[in-house]
Amino acid sequence: MADVRLGIIMHGVTGRMGMNQHLIRSVLAIRDQGGVVLSNGDRAVPDIIIVGRDADKIERLAKKHGVERWTTDLDAALANPDDKIFFDAASTQLRAGLLKKAMDAGKAVYCEKPTAEKLEVALELARYAKEKGVCNGVVHDKLSLPGLMKLKALRDNGFFGEILSVRAEFGYWVFEGDWQAAQRPSWNYRKQDGGGMILDMLCHWRYVLDNVIAPVKAVSCLGATHIPKRWDEKGQPYEATADDAAYATFELEGGIIAQINSSWCTRVRRDDLVTFHVDGTLGSAVAGLHTCRTQSRVNTPKPVWNPDEPQTMDFMNDWVEVPDNMHYDNGFKVQWEDYIRHVLEGGPWEYDLLAGARGVQLAELGLKSWEERRWLDVPVLEV
C-alpha cells in the first residue's frame, strides 16, 4: 500500500459552489483524510493547482487552504503531464471550449452542470470525449443526498407498489439585493450571462427523476420572471432578464406524473428547501435533503371532508421517519471519490458528458415548451 499523487487542475473555484462544495468540502477534504482508497489498498492523494483570472484572489484562496500551487495561466497548467484531471465550475458559456482544450491536452475532465446552454453543443462535447477516449464526468450531486438515497432505496425495495405521482417543491426567497444582499450571484438572473431557473434546475430534475423514480418521457413547462429588477454585488440595479421560477410537469415511464415547482421567489413553509412527495398504491414518502418520512397503506388515515369544523387530525404526525442506517458523507465528495476511482482504475461511472447532455436536453425542451405553450416528447439521446 502506498500514497499515489493525483494532480487535479481546478478552474472556477473562487465562486460559491466551486469553492465550498468542490474545493473545500470535496477535494481538500479528500486530501486531508489521506486520499481515496483504491481497490489495491493504495491511496490516491490529490495535489491541487487552482486556476483563475484574478491572481490576488486565487493566491489568497490557495494560501488559506494550504494549496501550494496556483496560476492564472490555464494553458501552462494543462501542459503539465503530471496533472491528470481538469475540473471546471466556472461559466457555462465558456465550458465547452475549456473542456475541449483539456481533452486535447489528454486530461480526464469533470465539470459542473449544465455542460452547455444548447443541446447541440452538449452532444458535441460528449462525442468529442468519446473520440478522444478520455474519462469524463458531470456532477450529479443530488443523487448522493441522504434524503434521495433513502427515497431510491424505498423504490428499489418495492415500498411504493405502483408509483402514481411525484410532487416536488424547490426554492426559497432570494433577496433582490437592495435592502438585503442576495444569496445567489447576479448572473443567475441575466439570460445573456447564462442565467435562468429552467436552464439551471431542469438539468438536475432530469437525473433525479431518471435515477430515483423513472425515465422522463415528456415535459410541459411554464417559466416566469417574477421579479424584473434586482441589485448586483456592487449594489447597482440591473434588469433581471432570466426566468426566476419554473413550473413543470413531466410524464415518466410507466405513466407516472411528476410536478416540480422551482422558484427563487417563494417563502418556505415545508420541511426543507426541496421536498419530493411520492405517492404509490402501497405507500407514500416525503424526502428532503437529509430526511425521508413514509406512510404505508395500512397506516394511512381516513379523513372526511368537512369544511364546517376545524381540522382535528394531525396529518404531519402520521408519518414515520426512515432511520439513518448508514453514514452519509457530503454528496459532492462521494461523487469526487467515485470519479477518481473511475479515472485511476476504471471503477463504475454512469454520469458522463452524455448524461450531462440529457439534462441540457430537458432544459432546452422546457424552454421550448414555455415558448410554444405545449407538451413536448423527450427523445432518447445517443452519441
Side-chain angles (χ1 to χ4, degrees), residues 18 28 39 62 65 70 80 125 132 163 169 221 224 261 267 283 293 300 317 332 345 357 367:
L28 288 176
S39 60
H65 295 286
W70 62 271
N80 184 353
L125 268 180
K132 289 289 184 177
I163 296 179
E169 291 284 342
C221 184
N261 295 330
R267 295 176 175 87
R293 294 176 173 85
T300 303
N317 200 39
F332 290 86
E345 56 185 11
L367 288 166

Side-chain angles (χ1 to χ4, degrees), residues 95-280:
R95 183 155 297 139
L98 292 171
L99 293 182
K100 282 187 175 182
K101 182 180 286 191
M103 288 188 273
D104 287 341
K107 308 302 182 187
V109 295
Y110 189 45
C111 70
E112 263 293 347
K113 88 301 294 167
T115 55
E117 290 183 296
K118 298 294 183 181
L119 176 58
E120 60 180 328
V121 178
L123 276 176
E124 172 57 26
L125 268 180
R127 295 189 188 102
Y128 201 76
K130 186 176 181 179
E131 292 169 3
K132 289 289 184 177
V134 299
C135 294
N136 58 96
V138 179
V139 177
H140 284 52
D141 57 285
K142 288 177 176 53
L143 295 180
S144 297
L145 288 169
L148 289 183
M149 291 176 69
K150 295 170 185 176
L151 198 62
K152 185 177 184 298
L154 292 172
R155 185 206 69 177
D156 293 346
N157 285 280
F159 170 81
F160 296 107
E162 177 187 352
I163 296 179
L164 306 174
S165 64
V166 181
R167 297 189 308 281
E169 291 284 342
F170 166 81
Y172 47 93
W173 189 269
V174 175
F175 284 94
E176 297 92 324
D178 49 353
W179 72 286
Q180 285 201 47
Q183 309 97 298
R184 297 184 63 84
S186 58
W187 71 262
N188 280 182
Y189 304 94
R190 293 190 294 264
K191 184 177 181 180
Q192 64 271 27
D193 292 335
M197 179 66 83
I198 294 175
L199 180 62
D200 185 8
M201 294 312 301
L202 262 65
C203 295
H204 288 284
W205 305 148
R206 178 66 189 270
Y207 71 74
V208 168
L209 292 171
D210 279 357
N211 289 276
V212 179
I213 307 297
V216 179
K217 297 299 182 183
V219 59
S220 172
C221 184
L222 178 66
T225 304
H226 290 306
I227 299 179
K229 182 180 180 181
R230 292 179 178 270
W231 283 256
D232 65 18
E233 291 79 1
K234 296 181 180 180
Q236 297 300 309
Y238 66 94
E239 181 185 1
T241 53
D243 45 292
D244 53 22
Y247 308 94
T249 304
F250 308 93
E251 181 183 1
L252 312 185
E253 189 175 89
I256 302 167
I257 303 301
Q259 297 173 301
I260 303 181
N261 295 330
S262 310
S263 178
W264 300 130
C265 311
T266 185
R267 295 176 175 87
V268 179
R269 193 179 191 274
R270 47 186 134 88
D271 290 340
D272 214 326
L273 297 183
V274 63
T275 55
F276 294 88
H277 184 128
V278 181
D279 285 317

